[in-house]
Amino acid sequence: MCRWITNSKHLWVPVVILSLFVGLVQCQQVNDYDQIDSPAVLPLITQLVYGQISNLTTMLGQEISRQSSFCVKDPDADWNQAFNFSSDLGFLASCIKKTKGDIAKRLCTAAEVKFFLNSLLGKTTSANYLKPNKNCNLTSWVSGCEPGWACSVHSSQKVDLKNSEEIPARTSNCQACCEGFFCPHGITCMIPCPLGSYCPLATLNKTTGICEPYLYQLPPMQPNHTCGGANVWADVSSSSEIFCSAGSYCPTTTKRIPCSSGHYCRMGSTSEKGCFKLSSCNSNTATQNMRAYGIMLIAALSTLLLIIYNCSDQVLTTRERRVAKSREAAARSARKTANARQRWQFAKDATKKGAIGLQAQLSRTFKKDAANLGKVKILNQATSEAEVELLSYSRPTTSSMVASSSVAPKEKGKESSGLMQIIHEIENDPDINDNLNTEIGTRDKSATENMSKGKQPHTHSQIFKYAYSQLEKEKAQQKENKKLTFSGVIKMATNTEKRKRPLIEISFKDLTLTLKAQNKQILRYVTGKIKPGRITAVMGPSGAGKTTFLSALAGKAFGCSVTGSILINGRNESIHSFKKITGFVPQDDVVHGNLTVEENLWFSAQCRLSADLSKPEKVLVVERVIEFLGLQSVRNSLVGTVEKRGISGGQRKRVNVGLEMVMEPSLLILDEPTSGLDSASSQLLLRALRREALEGVNICMVVHQPSYALFKMFDDLILLGKGGLTVYHGSARKVEEYFSGLGINIPERINPPDYFIDILEGIAAPSGSSGLSYKELPIRWMLHNGYPIPLDMRQNAVQFDISQSVNSANEIDPNGSGHVEKTFAGELWQDMRNNVVLRGEKIRLNFFKSKDLSDRKTPGVFKQYKYFLIRVGKQRLREARIQAIDYLILLLAGACLGSLTKASDQTFGAAGYTYTVIAVSLLCKIAALRSFSLDKLHYWRESDSGMSSLAYFLSKDTIDHFNTVIKPVVYLSMFYFFTNPRSTFADNYVVLLCLVYCVTGIAYALSIFFEPGAAQLWSVLLPVVLTLIATQPKDSKILKNIANLCYSKWALQALVVANAERYQGVWLITRCGSLLKSGYNLHDWSLCISILIIMGVIGRAIAFFCMVTFQKK
């Protein structure tokens, strides 16, 4: 036993200090009651006791950390915030006085603290009742076992507070618990109340019999027992009475002060916090009203978005206007130059005619020579005098020519040949420049030289001037081409300045296509050839296999077994090896409706023309196509969609064709390009295709009953009958002759294509005396060309001489004489096998690329990514209204959920966060579906043409990142400022940012894998179902593993943990209990964020794989 004895007034302080440092371990009580009452000694004793209490609370914190590491992030910080009483030890001094220095024997030891926490955290009993123990049981129940009371150990017994193994006998000198301490029901010791609590002595409410502010009652049959102190510290639902009430703050556990005006005090606060400016805080306020900040944030965000969308749209409009002005100025300049050149040509032609007239007048007396002047021979071809005049294109008369012509009359024997020498000199002299010797010609020549030297035009004005000057030259050349003689044609063919396209010739022999699923032949024994520089029309009745034939040539005949041979330029190569120079125009107009005509064409040109081609040359190509297709008047008009009207149907069809023309193909395949067009639009389209054919392009197209004027524009014709059999393949001009040879004559005033189709359809019987039926026409074609007759057609060929039919022993009966009817299971198995084979073909086509034989290097992935990024950005800006609706819905969702869900301190706002995860996931998923589900047809067309799928996907995802960043701000601007959680705005924003990134990737996969309706249904169901699974009690390991696969579990955990981390002091047990019940860990916030990001990346990887694998059926 230790005593502090002061015999001298000046010696007590050294003695006390010495006792504090030397006898600290042995000293556990103070019995010198007189000295305790001394104002000088009491603070030192209080510090000594506080040191012992610090050891006790440190053990308490360590025990909580050991048993509940999942809810304690920093044990030292949590202990400091819960049990650091150094700022005010008044409650301790008061307790020392009350217990007369006996406080150390009344404090709980480590064993008793451990017993209390095990009972509390282990959920073995209620927080207000503990298990029986050494001091409180059925045989021993002292008054200290009652709630709010405590006892002391025997005076001769020493207490080791660090002993965690044995509970000491503590049954003597029982009295009420001190202020600032709590004494649980069932043990006889005191534990300090944590900071943020209010633990005064209780007072009896005689009406209810309850010791207020606590909820326990006095024990019966004990009239001398009074209300004690606090009786429990547990979670807020079990011990809310000791928590410092909302609207007040408790600097110590025995003081409670109302919150002043301009400040707010949450439940369990140890100090009042000042309110932000613009927020209203009355006295006794628990939270600050920050809705003004939400309104300001919404206003700022709306202003920013309006500036972005409006200014961007204005920037685009202004830029387009400036480009249009530059283009119009360049066009005017080019037309002016062309008119000047034309006037010079007329003047030159008039001079030549005058010279010829003078020569004719001088040689009039020589009839023989005059006759020779009337008709000359050039390279053994008879040409009229008028034609000779047109041979010299843009060749001015030189002084040497004039001199020679002036000498001609003086030479008697050469009068007739003088003018011819001038003409031949103009035609054949290679030293004479083709351009004018005027300023026009000089300017054109210098422009060409600058282009050749690499001095490319870089401004819009310069580029358009170059493009339109070239177009005017080409127009002038086309006019001359109509009047060219043989020597002019030779010169055109040997023109090295013009860029040549590689030629593609496709020949096919016995081409047969059979549907694998139905074992049905849809194309049979088609043999022939389509040649470069010619337009081949494929015609036939419905079901004749026209589109299938084009699909086979283009390598798109999926789900079919192909027999026979297809040769490219005489070699057995895959058509996919020439993908970069092959254009395929689908029957449907797959064009981006929210882009202008020029933007559609320009994007296709950028991605598919050679990367080595300069920008002026690409502009020239696009301008040429726009000019040839007659799209000048609508070049800046949006193409339009079903909901939004744009250009006309005929113009849309021409844009559809122009997308393939701008890539300068060598092979152009078109599926019904004239369907739905009037005669004028069809002829305009055919004239544009005719110009392409003059460049050496191999053009093959399906047409339905064209007009006779349109029919005459075709070079070759493939006529297919029912069953995919060839009826005719050859020159379109000789088809009438061929059918006349069969005795089928076309009636007068009947369009030949219509008549042929009616015959093949079986609507009209062949006229004349042929006696043929439409079923026999394919046989006649086979006999005409010496092709073998299939077995099933020989019965119809008996009346014909089939001796010409070559080896036909290997022909197979398509009806399958050995065919056996399959069972339902067999058919189902066959369908499944065919589906797997079809998927395999598509995967093999997408992942195993054919070698490139096109000799064209298109832009790489990064370049195409840039082009895609610009295109998608323009599309998003033009969808500003849809984006605004998305933001408005999110805003309303945040306001509704924020006002309806009250933030619960017991669950740290888990209910509101649950609704948040569902709402944000659902709304963001549905919005993200639009990124890919609406553009599937466009992607299929672009990927088939060789554009990069990776660039397409990344550009879409990159632009969607703007929504990923903005949407959490929009939602939280309402939800956060309505609920006002303890976690920071930044914490909530980071979690929602990762959540939106995650669900966007999942939405990509859904939109690509499913049809739009099913994708929307999945987008609604998934957030609800996954969140329900994530919030269910994890009673089994299987359910826990399933919950770990739900993104909503990690998002909800991150939100709750970020909020729970801000609850300190008296909230420590509440935090641990709530996190234990939910299965969350305070250390896993970074893990949750990482998992959300990883899930978003995985979702995008799956979406990309599905995009390149699962093509259209």
Side-chain angles (χ1 to χ4, degrees):
M1 184 179 298
C2 296
R3 297 174 182 272
W4 286 273
I5 303 173
T6 57
N7 296 325
S8 173
K9 184 177 180 181
H10 302 286
L11 294 177
W12 70 269
V13 174
V15 172
V16 171
I17 295 176
L18 182 63
S19 301
L20 181 64
F21 286 94
V22 175
L24 178 62
V25 177
Q26 291 114 12
C27 299
Q28 300 198 11
Q29 61 180 341
V30 180
N31 292 331
D32 195 345
Y33 305 138
D34 296 336
Q35 297 299 324
I36 289 175
D37 294 331
S38 172
V41 177
L42 183 60
L44 297 176
I45 298 175
T46 302
Q47 288 290 342
L48 175 63
V49 175
Y50 176 62
Q52 295 177 334
I53 291 178
S54 296
N55 293 333
L56 172 65
T57 54
T58 300
M59 288 185 292
L60 178 62
Q62 290 175 350
E63 185 67 22
I64 294 176
S65 300
R66 185 184 64 81
Q67 295 190 18
S68 310
S69 60
F70 62 91
C71 62
V72 178
K73 197 170 186 180
D74 186 350
D76 295 333
D78 283 329
W79 175 89
N80 191 57
Q81 291 162 352
F83 300 107
N84 187 357
F85 307 112
S86 59
S87 61
D88 190 347
L89 297 178
F91 79 98
L92 195 56
S94 176
C95 188
I96 292 174
K97 288 183 178 182
K98 179 179 180 180
T99 58
K100 299 180 180 180
D102 196 26
I103 184 173
K105 291 188 177 183
R106 296 178 180 273
L107 294 176
C108 291
T109 64
E112 291 169 304
V113 170
K114 183 178 180 181
F115 171 77
F116 170 73
L117 290 178
N118 285 338
S119 300
L120 187 66
L121 298 179
K123 299 181 180 180
T124 55
T125 183
S126 170
N128 294 319
Y129 298 94
L130 304 181
K131 294 186 299 182
N133 56 76
K134 183 177 182 179
N135 297 313
C136 301
N137 50 61
L138 294 177
T139 59
S140 174
W141 190 270
V142 296
S143 58
C145 296
E146 297 294 336
W149 276 59
C151 300
S152 175
V153 298
H154 194 269
S155 59
S156 62
Q157 183 179 355
K158 293 183 178 181
V159 178
D160 184 8
L161 296 180
K162 296 182 179 181
N163 187 354
S164 61
E165 301 297 330
E166 184 180 0
I167 295 178
R170 197 190 304 270
T171 57
S172 63
N173 195 18
C174 298
Q175 64 181 29
C177 198
C178 294
E179 284 187 313
F181 292 83
F182 71 95
C183 301
H185 186 195
I187 56 176
T188 59
C189 59
M190 299 190 306
I191 301 176
C193 290
L195 291 174
S197 63
Y198 180 55
C199 300
L201 289 176
T203 57
L204 178 64
N205 187 327
K206 296 181 179 180
T207 303
T208 61
I210 294 177
C211 296
E212 295 179 347
Y214 313 110
L215 302 179
Y216 62 87
Q217 295 178 325
L218 295 178
M221 309 300 294
Q222 295 185 20
N224 295 327
H225 196 89
T226 62
C227 291
N231 66 317
V232 67
W233 171 43
D235 61 284
V236 67
S237 61
S238 303
S239 59
S240 59
E241 61 272 14
I242 76 163
F243 282 69
C244 191
S245 59
S248 303
Y249 67 97
C250 301
T252 66
T253 56
T254 57
K255 292 181 182 179
R256 184 173 62 185
I257 304 173
C259 212
S260 60
S261 179
H263 298 79
Y264 70 98
C265 302
R266 297 179 186 271
M267 187 177 186
S269 298
T270 58
S271 62
E272 57 181 1
K273 294 184 179 180
C275 295
F276 296 146
K277 292 181 179 180
L278 302 179
S279 60
S280 59
C281 288
N282 299 323
S283 57
N284 301 327
T285 301
T287 58
Q288 56 179 334
N289 187 350
M290 296 192 299
R291 297 179 184 178
Y293 285 92
I295 296 173
M296 291 175 58
L297 182 60
I298 282 297
L301 188 62
S302 301
T303 304
L304 178 62
L305 292 176
L306 286 174
I307 291 174
I308 291 175
Y309 285 121
N310 288 337
C311 290
S312 299
D313 188 48
Q314 189 64 38
V315 168
L316 290 176
T317 304
T318 304
R319 183 177 180 275
E320 290 174 357
R321 190 185 305 118
R322 290 176 60 87
V323 171
K325 288 181 179 179
S326 300
R327 183 172 54 247
E328 291 171 0
R332 286 194 300 269
S333 177
R335 284 194 294 269
K336 185 178 179 181
T337 302
N339 292 335
R341 184 183 292 113
Q342 189 176 15
R343 288 194 298 269
W344 173 260
Q345 182 68 32
F346 289 157
K348 185 185 69 173
D349 291 345
T351 303
K352 287 173 59 178
K353 288 181 179 180
I356 293 174
L358 178 62
Q359 181 71 18
Q361 185 178 3
L362 293 175
S363 59
R364 190 172 297 168
T365 55
F366 302 94
K367 295 182 179 180
K368 183 178 180 180
D369 294 337
N372 290 336
L373 264 176
K375 199 166 192 177
V376 296
K377 288 215 176 232
I378 300 177
L379 296 178
N380 296 327
Q381 288 190 1
T383 309
S384 66
E385 184 176 318
E387 290 173 334
V388 174
E389 295 175 7
L390 301 177
L391 289 177
S392 58
Y393 170 63
S394 302
R395 300 181 187 271
T397 305
T398 61
S399 57
S400 61
M401 298 175 190
V402 177
S404 61
S405 63
S406 63
V407 175
K410 298 179 183 179
E411 298 180 0
K412 300 290 185 179
K414 298 184 179 179
E415 292 89 353
S416 61
S417 62
L419 184 59
M420 296 311 301
Q421 289 179 357
I422 297 174
I423 295 173
H424 283 296
E425 186 176 7
I426 293 173
E427 185 177 9
N428 299 322
D429 188 359
D431 296 329
I432 299 177
N433 198 316
D434 288 340
N435 294 324
L436 303 174
N437 290 330
T438 61
E439 183 182 356
I440 300 168
T442 305
R443 186 163 60 247
D444 292 343
K445 182 177 180 182
S446 62
T448 305
E449 289 176 353
N450 288 338
M451 284 292 294
S452 62
K453 291 179 181 178
K455 298 178 181 178
Q456 302 288 348
H458 59 279
T459 64
H460 289 296
S461 178
Q462 292 174 344
I463 291 174
F464 285 127
K465 281 183 180 179
Y466 167 75
Y468 279 101
S469 64
Q470 292 297 113
L471 285 177
E472 292 298 334
K473 287 182 182 180
E474 291 176 1
K475 290 179 182 178
Q477 185 65 47
Q478 288 173 6
K479 293 179 180 178
E480 292 295 331
N481 290 346
K482 297 178 181 178
K483 303 180 288 184
L484 279 179
T485 58
F486 183 73
S487 59
V489 174
I490 294 297
K491 183 177 179 182
M492 281 183 57
T494 58
N495 184 11
T496 58
E497 293 182 0
K498 195 164 188 178
R499 197 167 57 251
K500 302 294 183 183
R501 303 188 193 181
L503 302 180
I504 293 182
E505 179 184 83
I506 300 181
S507 58
F508 38 92
K509 183 178 181 181
D510 295 335
L511 183 61
T512 302
L513 269 74
T514 306
L515 284 175
K516 295 180 180 179
Q518 303 175 9
N519 195 25
K520 176 183 177 182
Q521 290 182 336
I522 52 179
L523 201 68
R524 302 180 61 190
Y525 310 108
V526 180
T527 301
K529 181 185 297 184
I530 57 175
K531 302 175 183 178
R534 301 178 69 84
I535 300 179
T536 303
V538 181
M539 296 175 57
S542 299
K546 302 182 296 297
T547 301
T548 304
F549 173 68
L550 292 189
S551 300
L553 295 184
K556 301 175 183 289
F558 298 113
C560 298
S561 60
V562 182
T563 58
S565 61
I566 300 178
L567 303 180
I568 312 296
N569 292 334
R571 294 182 298 177
N572 188 14
E573 301 287 354
S574 172
I575 191 63
H576 298 290
S577 300
F578 301 89
K579 179 187 293 186
K580 294 181 179 179
I581 55 175
T582 300
F584 185 88
V585 180
Q587 182 176 352
D588 299 323
D589 299 332
V590 184
V591 187
H592 290 280
N594 48 9
L595 294 178
T596 64
V597 171
E598 184 178 4
E599 288 168 349
N600 273 288
L601 299 177
W602 176 241
F603 173 79
S604 182
Q606 281 182 309
C607 291
R608 301 176 66 184
L609 284 174
S610 175
D612 300 329
L613 203 61
S614 62
K615 184 176 180 180
E617 291 293 337
K618 291 180 180 179
V619 172
L620 174 60
V621 172
V622 174
E623 293 297 329
R624 184 186 294 127
V625 172
I626 291 176
E627 181 76 21
F628 289 168
L629 291 176
L631 297 172
Q632 281 286 4
S633 60
V634 294
R635 63 183 304 153
N636 292 322
S637 301
L638 292 177
V639 173
T641 58
V642 177
E643 296 85 5
K644 188 175 181 180
R645 176 70 177 173
I647 59 178
S648 67
Q651 292 165 340
R652 186 184 181 94
K653 179 72 71 174
R654 280 177 271 161
V655 174
N656 188 33
V657 177
L659 290 177
E660 304 301 323
M661 291 176 61
V662 293
M663 53 87 67
E664 294 192 331
S666 294
L667 173 63
L668 184 58
I669 300 175
L670 305 96
D671 190 4
E672 300 186 22
T674 59
S675 297
L677 298 184
D678 55 21
S679 179
S681 299
S682 298
Q683 290 193 31
L684 180 63
L685 179 60
L686 260 293
R687 281 196 293 269
L689 294 177
R690 171 57 61 188
R691 293 188 183 96
E692 290 290 301
L694 291 176
E695 300 287 337
V697 181
N698 190 343
I699 300 176
C700 183
M701 58 190 295
V702 171
V703 289
H704 273 300
Q705 296 180 313
S707 65
Y708 189 63
L710 207 65
F711 180 73
K712 291 193 299 183
M713 300 179 72
F714 298 133
D715 296 310
D716 296 321
L717 174 66
I718 299 178
L719 201 57
L720 297 177
K722 288 189 175 181
L725 292 164
T726 307
V727 175
Y728 176 81
H729 179 22
S731 174
R733 295 174 179 84
K734 297 181 179 180
V735 62
E736 297 182 36
E737 179 184 343
Y738 168 75
F739 279 100
S740 297
L742 299 179
I744 301 175
N745 298 314
I746 301 173
E748 294 183 1
R749 307 181 69 178
I750 295 295
N751 185 20
D754 293 344
Y755 186 64
F756 297 148
I757 298 300
D758 290 343
I759 291 176
L760 295 177
E761 194 72 61
I763 298 175
S767 62
S769 59
S770 63
L772 294 174
S773 68
Y774 70 93
K775 295 181 180 180
E776 297 170 350
L777 292 177
I779 301 175
R780 292 303 300 264
W781 176 253
M782 293 178 184
L783 295 175
H784 178 76
N785 292 278
Y787 298 154
I789 308 298
L791 291 176
D792 63 316
M793 299 177 64
R794 292 187 181 181
Q795 58 182 356
N796 297 328
V798 175
Q799 56 180 323
F800 306 113
D801 183 12
I802 61 173
S803 59
Q804 297 179 358
S805 180
V806 295
N807 183 15
S808 58
N810 295 327
E811 298 295 337
I812 300 175
D813 185 2
N815 296 325
S817 57
H819 177 71
V820 179
E821 185 177 356
K822 294 182 179 180
T823 61
F824 174 78
E827 290 184 2
L828 180 62
W829 173 249
Q830 185 65 31
D831 290 341
M832 293 175 61
R833 286 187 56 189
N834 292 333
N835 190 33
V836 171
V837 171
L838 178 61
R839 296 295 184 189
E841 290 178 0
K842 294 180 179 179
I843 293 174
R844 186 166 54 253
L845 178 63
N846 290 319
F847 290 96
F848 299 97
K849 303 296 183 182
S850 303
K851 59 180 179 179
D852 186 16
L853 300 176
S854 59
D855 196 25
R856 175 183 291 186
K857 183 181 179 182
T858 55
V861 175
F862 293 104
K863 273 285 187 183
Q864 292 192 40
Y865 170 71
K866 172 187 173 183
Y867 300 146
F868 274 109
L869 205 62
I870 295 172
R871 186 186 76 176
V872 178
K874 290 180 180 179
Q875 291 175 317
R876 289 291 187 272
L877 290 174
R878 288 176 179 139
E879 296 172 355
R881 182 175 299 179
I882 299 177
Q883 300 290 332
I885 293 174
D886 289 344
Y887 295 149
L888 180 61
I889 293 175
L890 267 175
L891 194 69
L892 294 176
C896 293
L897 294 179
S899 58
L900 294 178
T901 58
K902 302 300 181 183
S904 172
D905 289 323
Q906 182 177 356
T907 59
F908 309 114
Y913 287 137
T914 301
Y915 298 139
T916 292
V917 171
I918 294 176
V920 173
S921 300
L922 190 150
L923 295 176
C924 292
K925 274 185 183 178
I926 292 180
L929 293 179
R930 294 194 299 265
S931 295
F932 290 95
S933 62
L934 301 180
D935 286 345
K936 284 184 178 180
L937 293 177
H938 303 88
Y939 166 72
W940 290 332
R941 177 175 183 176
E942 291 170 354
S943 63
D944 286 344
S945 65
M947 293 189 193
S948 172
S949 298
L950 181 61
Y952 170 82
F953 185 87
L954 290 179
S955 65
K956 290 270 191 179
D957 188 34
T958 303
I959 295 298
D960 281 345
H961 286 342
F962 179 78
N963 287 330
T964 304
V965 173
I966 295 296
K967 285 184 176 181
V969 179
V970 174
Y971 180 82
L972 288 176
S973 63
M974 288 288 100
F975 179 82
Y976 182 83
F977 296 109
F978 270 92
T979 57
N980 199 8
R982 300 199 182 193
S983 55
T984 64
F985 186 91
D987 290 338
N988 288 267
Y989 174 75
V990 170
V991 177
L992 289 189
L993 178 70
C994 298
L995 174 63
V996 174
Y997 179 81
C998 174
V999 299
T1000 302
I1002 297 174
Y1004 289 165
L1006 295 177
S1007 63
I1008 292 172
F1009 190 80
F1010 295 105
E1011 295 298 324
Q1016 291 177 1
L1017 182 61
W1018 278 105
S1019 298
V1020 173
L1021 288 178
L1022 275 181
V1024 178
V1025 174
L1026 295 183
T1027 305
L1028 289 176
I1029 294 175
T1031 54
Q1032 290 300 312
K1034 314 303 184 296
D1035 297 330
S1036 64
K1037 187 175 181 181
I1038 296 177
L1039 186 61
K1040 183 177 181 180
N1041 293 332
I1042 295 175
N1044 288 335
L1045 298 177
C1046 301
Y1047 70 87
S1048 52
K1049 183 252 187 184
W1050 302 103
L1052 184 59
Q1053 179 175 348
L1055 290 169
V1056 171
V1057 164
N1059 199 28
E1061 190 177 354
R1062 306 289 173 175
Y1063 286 78
Q1064 300 155 347
V1066 69
W1067 294 98
L1068 189 59
I1069 292 180
T1070 304
R1071 181 211 292 174
C1072 293
S1074 179
L1075 295 181
L1076 178 65
K1077 181 179 180 181
S1078 303
Y1080 298 156
N1081 194 317
L1082 206 62
H1083 302 269
D1084 289 347
W1085 189 84
S1086 299
L1087 175 64
C1088 296
I1089 298 299
S1090 302
I1091 290 177
L1092 287 175
I1093 295 175
I1094 292 173
M1095 285 185 173
V1097 173
I1098 293 175
R1100 283 161 172 79
I1102 294 173
F1104 180 73
F1105 177 79
C1106 293
M1107 187 180 71
V1108 299
T1109 303
F1110 299 105
Q1111 298 286 338
K1112 61 182 176 180
K1113 297 181 181 179

